[in-house]
Amino acid sequence: SYILRHARSRNYVSESEMCKLESILLDFGDYHPLKPITVTESKTKKMTRKGSTSSTSSSSSSSMMDPLSSVLDGTDPLSLFAAAADPVTTASPTDGARKKRDTDESLAVGSDFEPWSSKRGEILARYTTTEKLSINLYMGSEKGKATTTGSAVSEKVRTRLEELDDLEEGSQKELLNLTQQDYMNRIEELNQSLKDAWSSDQKVKALKIVIQCSKLLSDTTVIQFYPSKFVLITDILDTFGKLVYERILSMCMDNRVSSPDNFSPESVNDTAKETCLNWFFKIASIRELIPRFYVEAAILKCNKFLSKTGISECLPRLTSMIRGIGDPLVAVYARAYLCRVGMEVAPQLKESLNKNFFDFLLTFKQIHGDTVQNQLVVQCVEIPLYLTLYSPAIDWILQCIAYHAPDVLLTEMMERCKKLGNNALLLNSVMSAFRAEFIAARSMDFIGMIKECDESGFPKHLLFRSLGLNLALADPPENDRLQILNEAWKVITKVKNPQDYINCAEVWVEYTCRHFTKREVNTVLADVIKHMTPDRAFEDAYPQLQSIIQKVITYIYDFALLFSVEKFLPFLDMFQKESVRVEVCKCIMKSFIKHQQESTKDPVILNALLHICKTMHDSVNALTLEDEKRMLAALINGFIKMVSFGRDFEQQLSFYVEARSMFCNLEPVLVQLIHSVNQLAMETRRVMKGNHSRKTAAFVRACVAFCFITIPSLSSIFTRLNLYLHSGQVALANQCLSQADAFFKAAVSLVPEVPKMISVDGKMRPSDAFLLEFLCNFFSTLLVVPDHPEQGVLFLVRGLLNVIQDYTWEDNSDDKVRIYTNVLHLLSAMTQEAFIYHVDKVDSNDALYGGDSKFLAEINKLSETVVSQILDHLKTLGKEETLKRQSQLALYFFNSILAHGDLRNNRLNQLSVNLWNLAQKHGFADTKTMVKTLEYIKRRSKQPEMSHFTDLALRLPLQSRT
């Protein structure tokens, strides 16, 4: 009991002044720590020559020097990386000139050119079939194996000639009745066989495989699968072309060829040239046109080894070869492949690509010829479906031609397409491939061309869809915008098939939202509802309907305006599938949280968003993932935070009450509501400046009651503890003393329920550290809580100490003693005449008791109990395995006495010396800590009324570890 009977009297004001940092006036001039430092990049390296400078700062003043630059001497790692990546700063003048020349020659395509690889997946997914397919597989033979090193040259030549003849002698196997997946697997097997043959030096076998695959591109028996077949086969051709090119390149990689990308034919050695010519001669001997064309196109890049003009000479010849292909579908894909290879190896040779397309225009009428019509009758394929098979090829050809092409060329091509009959297919590809700005500027011209198209061949609604895609990227002339929408919607609204309709409507909704008011948007949404509601057609169109919602909220993010669109909420009602409905609601809430800058009380917005949030909340069930719950709760909390009724606090509380009833299954939302209501109570206090009227006092008590009945419904025990404490502090601040006592009692009674282990971020961790943190916060609050007149002195502190005493602590934990030490800090603060802090307009115990001796006697009784518990625990740590913990706790307790005790008392002084010696007794004390503590005591001894610290310092020896 002597510890707190002799607690040090504290003058908190003077102590605070004493502990303040010394303030020194500094003249910074123009300098400010938040003002950006202007740094000018220096291109010159640091020189040692007289008169030169290496400073990269815009100012020579030392006060303006960037501290990071000064430390790094201008060579910070990011600048070095940037310099390494920048050819302008690292390359020598000769290298730079050569690279510029090479770039000018190749004019390689940039990142704005959409590569073939990005179209590949879409084609494979779109062009499928359920019909059975067939494939001819090359079987190989024993003669196809690589010859031994001892074979004579003549024998090797004879063997290879026999291998080539094998192809004509039936060394192949036809596989019938394959499903689409089986077919794709077989093609993949051929691709792997090609690589295996090449790696085992069976080059002729590899060529046979490529020839066999190329032949498959002449087969159109399952015509609707042809585009996908083209993608699969050309993958093999690409692999072959790459293997041949790398093989020849490896043969000429000597001192004369410095870079694999930049070399001239003169630097290629004779062996490499001979091998390259040999490949071209082999390919020229292929009898059939289609495999000969495709295989030569695949190795077109190899012409670079022979002459500078090789590629430019080959492209026109290959273009002319395609004229010999009779089937227009096969021919157009051959042209597409040539354009694809041409753009990779010689994008500057646009003339050949243009010639390729103009050749196609000359043969365009074949598509509607009798031969094709008869073929379609046999395969039971309708002409509209057949025409869509051309789209990937024509789109690609036109994309290659239109890339960086002048408007003059594009206009010429558009005029040529106009002159052709039945040109809807071409028109669609033109709108898909040409620049959006070009199309948008001539929107009315294109609408005129669409009107003239024959409806039977290529549906007009698809043409309007392509036009709409362009208008989503570029704006048409302002005067034409309404007429464009009217013309397009006249056609779209007449489409009977719901899937075709929604595919078009989805595109034009964006155009409507970009350029028109809510009236037009409402009309469009009404039309969509009208088309998609019969026979529940909307169930097959959820992706498109979701896209429409996304576009609407992208352009109309003023939610007062959005919810005034009459058909918006009925549109949401079409999302009947719960998972889709929830995704749409999440999308809307994300937009609201992102764009809503000011709080709102608009009843239209509140009712609509409450309905949307309720939909999200009701989707939660036992199987819902925790991440999903967190996301939904975050969105609902974002909405709750944006609702404000201004000074109408009662309406605000009513909203929170309604929200609690609606979102009771999401714990983070309930936590947010409790915080919001507490904030509302404090806002009421601020408005009343702490002087509550009867009305506001009743309102604050209603807020407190809301929190008190909501907290028990939470599952997380530490969330409940912290909210009880927080809500009790709010009640205390609003002079609701009995309610504050109720919160604190609830917190005390909850402590025994704290489990030993709790889940933190999905992992189980001991709860001791969390409990210690909570109790320290609790003690800080209990200092200012006045005693209840009917409950006795320090009834809350006593109750909490009983709970701590009965709580089962871990055997290897000292947290109980650390808590008791913090209780001593609290009791020491309670003995002061004036507490260190107070709650405004609440009388704490210092005012209630006024230093009454009975009150101090009760504190001393408590302190005696606590100290005896601490000392008992220190005795139990006398075993060898716990000596280190004993040392740490002894020093911790010593520091507490040093801070809070009056060491002029001899018994207290002796206890502190004993604790100091105990801390060092077994050599576990940290020497640095002990030295710093002793230095602190000596410094304190020089302060007024602290001379007794001098004697204490003399009694505290420092022992070495030895």
Side-chain angles (χ1 to χ4, degrees):
S1 64
Y2 51 81
I3 289 185
L4 290 178
R5 189 178 297 137
H6 299 286
R8 183 164 64 90
S9 296
R10 308 287 291 271
N11 186 333
Y12 293 117
V13 176
S14 62
E15 285 185 35
S16 176
E17 289 295 327
M18 194 182 302
C19 294
K20 277 185 180 177
L21 293 174
E22 185 180 357
S23 58
I24 301 174
L25 289 174
L26 293 177
D27 182 15
F28 288 105
D30 291 335
Y31 172 77
H32 187 279
L34 299 181
K35 185 178 179 181
I37 298 172
T38 306
V39 178
T40 307
E41 185 179 359
S42 174
K43 296 292 182 184
T44 57
K45 292 186 178 179
K46 188 174 181 180
M47 305 293 286
T48 56
R49 190 174 66 249
K50 184 179 179 182
S52 66
T53 176
S54 62
S55 173
T56 59
S57 174
S58 62
S59 170
S60 60
S61 169
S62 61
S63 66
M64 292 292 288
M65 177 67 74
D66 176 7
L68 295 181
S69 297
S70 62
V71 171
L72 295 164
D73 196 25
T75 57
D76 68 282
L78 295 181
S79 297
L80 291 176
F81 284 139
D86 186 1
V88 176
T89 57
T90 57
S92 66
T94 309
D95 290 342
R98 188 177 74 246
K99 286 186 178 181
K100 185 176 186 301
R101 184 177 68 249
D102 293 336
T103 304
D104 289 342
E105 287 176 2
S106 66
L107 292 171
V109 293
S111 58
D112 56 338
F113 183 81
E114 186 181 3
W116 173 259
S117 57
S118 67
K119 300 176 180 291
R120 182 181 180 280
E122 182 186 345
I123 295 172
L124 289 174
R126 181 179 176 188
Y127 298 98
T128 58
T129 183
T130 54
E131 294 188 32
K132 298 300 181 182
L133 302 158
S134 63
I135 187 172
N136 290 321
L137 283 181
Y138 169 67
M139 301 303 295
S141 66
E142 291 300 316
K143 291 181 286 184
K145 293 182 179 177
T147 57
T148 61
T149 52
S151 300
V153 175
S154 58
E155 185 179 340
K156 184 177 181 181
V157 171
R158 186 170 62 253
T159 302
R160 291 200 168 179
L161 289 171
E162 289 173 354
E163 286 175 338
L164 284 171
D165 289 340
D166 269 351
L167 193 60
E168 310 300 327
E169 293 170 5
S171 60
Q172 47 189 318
K173 178 182 178 182
E174 185 174 18
L175 299 177
L176 302 172
N177 296 324
L178 298 176
T179 64
Q180 178 182 321
Q181 189 58 50
D182 291 337
Y183 188 91
M184 294 171 73
N185 292 340
R186 296 294 181 183
I187 295 292
E188 182 55 40
E189 287 174 18
L190 283 174
N191 201 353
Q192 190 57 47
S193 298
L194 166 65
K195 295 174 184 176
D196 294 342
W198 191 272
S199 60
S200 60
D201 204 30
Q202 299 182 64
K203 304 296 187 292
V204 172
K205 179 180 177 182
L207 179 60
K208 283 185 175 184
I209 292 172
V210 175
I211 293 171
Q212 195 63 43
C213 289
S214 302
K215 282 187 173 183
L216 295 174
L217 290 174
S218 61
D219 175 24
T220 58
T221 48
V222 184
I223 202 163
Q224 62 267 38
F225 184 64
Y226 191 84
S228 291
K229 184 199 289 188
F230 170 80
V231 168
L232 297 169
I233 300 298
T234 52
D235 283 349
I236 296 178
L237 289 165
D238 292 342
T239 301
F240 177 71
K242 184 179 179 183
L243 291 171
V244 173
Y245 182 81
E246 289 176 351
R247 161 79 174 156
I248 299 171
L249 184 64
S250 66
M251 298 172 71
C252 60
M253 284 295 287
D254 54 23
N255 295 332
R256 292 184 294 172
V257 179
S258 58
S259 168
D261 295 320
N262 299 302
F263 62 85
S264 62
E266 293 78 15
S267 63
V268 178
N269 58 46
D270 292 341
T271 307
K273 284 187 176 180
E274 184 180 348
T275 304
C276 185
L277 282 169
N278 188 29
W279 275 110
F280 280 111
F281 291 153
K282 282 179 184 176
I283 291 166
S285 66
I286 299 172
R287 297 172 189 172
E288 294 184 34
L289 172 62
I290 289 177
R292 184 167 74 251
F293 163 79
Y294 272 107
V295 179
E296 182 174 353
I299 67 165
L300 181 65
K301 191 175 181 180
C302 294
N303 279 284
K304 291 172 67 175
F305 297 110
L306 302 177
S307 71
K308 288 184 177 180
T309 59
I311 294 175
S312 60
E313 291 170 358
C314 279
L315 275 173
R317 179 171 56 79
L318 289 171
T319 301
S320 300
M321 283 174 67
I322 299 172
R323 295 175 181 174
I325 300 175
D327 190 311
L329 184 65
V330 177
V332 77
Y333 275 94
R335 296 185 193 282
Y337 186 67
L338 187 60
C339 284
R340 182 171 137 200
V341 175
M343 285 299 283
E344 287 177 8
V345 301
Q348 75 277 13
L349 300 176
K350 282 290 188 70
E351 295 80 8
S352 298
L353 301 182
N354 296 347
K355 183 171 179 283
N356 194 359
F357 179 68
F358 292 139
D359 271 9
F360 167 69
L361 291 182
L362 293 173
T363 59
F364 182 73
K365 58 186 178 183
Q366 287 182 329
I367 294 174
H368 301 280
D370 292 340
T371 308
V372 171
Q373 297 294 333
N374 294 337
Q375 184 184 14
L376 297 183
V377 170
V378 171
Q379 295 202 31
C380 301
V381 175
E382 299 290 331
I383 190 72
L385 173 62
Y386 174 69
L387 290 178
T388 60
L389 302 178
Y390 284 82
S391 294
I394 300 175
D395 289 354
W396 178 257
I397 295 170
L398 285 170
Q399 180 186 324
C400 295
I401 294 170
Y403 183 67
H404 288 178
D407 284 0
V408 177
L409 176 62
L410 300 182
T411 306
E412 180 193 348
M413 294 172 68
M414 189 174 129
E415 292 300 323
R416 287 206 184 193
C417 293
K418 261 187 188 180
K419 294 174 183 175
L420 292 171
N422 294 326
N423 64 350
L425 171 65
L426 271 177
L427 189 57
N428 189 61
S429 293
V430 163
M431 289 189 288
S432 299
F434 283 15
R435 290 190 299 274
E437 294 79 10
F438 179 88
I439 305 293
R442 299 162 178 78
S443 298
M444 292 308 298
D445 293 341
F446 277 97
I447 286 177
M449 292 165 66
I450 292 171
K451 284 181 175 179
E452 294 172 8
C453 288
D454 182 12
E455 180 71 35
S456 62
F458 199 92
K460 285 185 180 179
H461 66 83
L462 290 182
L463 297 174
F464 273 109
R465 183 178 190 277
S466 298
L467 178 60
L469 287 170
N470 283 283
L471 297 181
L473 299 172
D475 297 335
E478 192 168 348
N479 295 334
D480 295 340
R481 289 174 185 174
L482 183 58
Q483 188 179 355
I484 291 169
L485 179 62
N486 288 334
E487 293 290 346
W489 210 260
K490 280 179 193 174
V491 175
I492 295 169
T493 195
K494 292 177 182 175
V495 177
K496 301 296 183 188
N497 184 294
Q499 202 62 40
D500 291 340
Y501 168 83
I502 197 65
N503 285 336
C504 284
E506 172 201 355
V507 172
W508 281 89
V509 163
E510 182 166 4
Y511 174 78
T512 310
C513 294
R514 272 169 70 108
H515 300 298
F516 299 100
T517 64
K518 71 170 188 176
R519 177 172 164 270
E520 288 79 8
V521 173
N522 191 60
T523 304
V524 169
L525 293 182
D527 196 61
V528 173
I529 295 170
K530 177 184 171 185
H531 278 78
M532 302 308 294
T533 304
D535 301 323
R536 299 178 69 85
F538 53 76
E539 291 182 346
D540 299 320
Y542 284 138
Q544 293 91 333
L545 295 174
Q546 279 182 269
S547 174
I548 289 174
I549 287 287
Q550 182 65 61
K551 287 167 182 172
V552 170
I553 62 178
T554 298
Y555 290 99
I556 308 178
Y557 44 79
D558 177 351
F559 275 72
L561 181 64
L562 178 66
F563 289 125
S564 67
V565 176
E566 185 184 344
K567 294 296 180 181
F568 182 74
L569 291 176
F571 190 93
L572 288 182
D573 291 337
M574 286 197 291
F575 294 99
Q576 300 286 319
K577 188 178 179 183
E578 186 183 61
S579 60
V580 181
R581 191 180 181 86
V582 170
E583 284 303 314
V584 171
C585 291
K586 283 160 64 174
C587 188
I588 294 170
M589 291 310 302
K590 285 176 184 175
S591 177
F592 176 78
I593 292 168
K594 179 180 178 181
H595 293 110
Q596 188 73 20
Q597 300 296 325
E598 299 177 354
S599 55
T600 182
K601 62 177 180 178
D602 187 324
V604 175
I605 294 178
L606 296 189
N607 288 332
L609 292 184
L610 275 173
H611 172 69
I612 288 169
C613 290
K614 177 68 173 167
T615 301
M616 295 194 299
H617 169 270
D618 291 350
S619 69
V620 174
N621 54 44
L623 300 178
T624 306
L625 298 175
E626 287 301 317
D627 282 349
E628 178 70 8
K629 288 182 184 178
R630 272 196 291 271
M631 179 184 289
L632 294 176
L635 292 173
I636 295 173
N637 285 344
F639 163 59
I640 289 170
K641 291 175 186 176
M642 293 305 297
V643 176
S644 173
F645 290 88
R647 287 292 184 91
D648 191 348
F649 292 159
E650 291 182 349
Q651 184 67 34
Q652 187 84 30
L653 182 59
S654 298
F655 169 77
Y656 291 143
V657 171
E658 183 182 1
R660 180 179 62 184
S661 66
M662 294 177 75
F663 310 127
C664 55
N665 290 333
L666 287 173
E667 191 161 303
V669 178
L670 295 179
V671 172
Q672 177 59 46
L673 288 170
I674 293 168
H675 284 307
S676 297
V677 171
N678 279 328
Q679 189 176 354
L680 186 61
M682 293 306 291
E683 182 66 14
T684 307
R685 178 181 182 274
R686 186 189 65 78
V687 170
M688 299 303 293
K689 298 179 181 176
N691 300 309
H692 283 300
S693 64
R694 289 183 62 183
K695 185 177 180 181
T696 58
F699 174 75
V700 167
R701 286 196 293 272
C703 291
V704 170
F706 175 98
C707 298
F708 192 74
I709 63 174
T710 307
I711 293 173
S713 64
L714 304 176
S715 61
S716 169
I717 193 158
F718 277 103
T719 301
R720 276 186 281 161
L721 282 171
N722 286 310
L723 285 173
Y724 275 134
L725 178 57
H726 183 211
S727 301
Q729 291 167 345
V730 170
L732 197 62
N734 283 282
Q735 300 120 53
C736 300
L737 300 185
S738 59
Q739 287 83 354
D741 280 349
F743 279 116
F744 297 140
K745 283 180 183 176
V748 170
S749 62
L750 193 59
V751 169
E753 297 178 23
V754 174
K756 296 291 175 292
M757 305 291 287
I758 58 170
S759 177
V760 179
D761 296 331
K763 296 180 181 179
M764 298 305 292
R765 300 190 186 280
S767 62
D768 289 2
F770 297 95
L771 184 57
L772 176 62
E773 180 186 5
F774 166 75
L775 289 173
C776 289
N777 289 336
F778 199 2
F779 295 148
S780 300
T781 303
L782 289 179
L783 174 64
V784 293
V785 176
D787 282 344
H788 194 285
E790 298 175 2
Q791 299 285 350
V793 178
L794 303 179
F795 75 101
L796 284 173
V797 177
R798 291 175 187 278
L800 189 54
L801 283 173
N802 290 335
V803 166
I804 294 168
Q805 176 63 29
D806 296 338
Y807 187 79
T808 307
W809 300 88
E810 293 289 334
D811 294 336
N812 60 346
S813 169
D814 298 319
D815 287 330
K816 183 177 181 180
V817 173
R818 296 184 186 279
I819 290 169
Y820 279 147
T821 309
N822 280 291
V823 171
L824 287 179
H825 300 170
L826 168 64
L827 295 175
S828 172
M830 283 183 167
T831 62
Q832 306 301 317
E833 288 185 15
F835 291 171
I836 187 171
Y837 48 81
H838 294 85
V839 176
D840 188 33
K841 295 184 174 58
V842 173
D843 290 331
S844 298
N845 285 339
D846 57 343
L848 293 178
Y849 294 108
D852 182 71
S853 57
K854 291 182 180 179
F855 173 66
L856 295 178
E858 290 295 329
I859 292 177
N860 284 330
K861 284 181 184 178
L862 278 179
S863 66
E864 185 178 353
T865 306
V866 171
V867 169
S868 64
Q869 291 281 348
I870 294 173
L871 295 177
D872 288 346
H873 185 79
L874 282 172
K875 288 177 185 176
T876 63
L877 298 178
K879 299 174 186 176
E880 187 175 349
E881 63 271 16
T882 56
L883 290 176
K884 185 174 182 180
R885 286 165 53 197
Q886 185 188 56
S887 171
Q888 292 171 342
L889 278 182
L891 183 60
Y892 183 65
F893 192 24
F894 170 83
N895 286 326
S896 293
I897 294 174
L898 199 64
H900 299 279
D902 185 356
L903 292 173
R904 285 173 293 195
N905 178 271
N906 292 332
R907 293 178 65 191
L908 190 57
N909 197 301
Q910 185 58 48
L911 176 61
S912 64
V913 173
N914 293 342
L915 289 169
W916 176 271
N917 291 330
L918 181 61
Q920 299 184 97
K921 185 175 181 180
H922 300 287
F924 287 104
D926 180 48
T927 307
K928 287 184 179 179
T929 303
M930 304 301 283
V931 169
K932 287 181 178 178
T933 304
L934 193 55
E935 288 175 354
Y936 165 76
I937 293 171
K938 290 176 180 177
R939 283 199 307 273
R940 288 285 303 275
S941 68
K942 297 175 183 177
Q943 295 175 4
E945 299 182 8
M946 289 292 178
S947 57
H948 57 284
F949 271 43
T950 305
D951 297 332
L952 178 65
L954 294 174
R955 299 180 66 196
L956 301 178
L958 279 174
Q959 298 177 6
S960 64
R961 291 197 176 217
T962 56

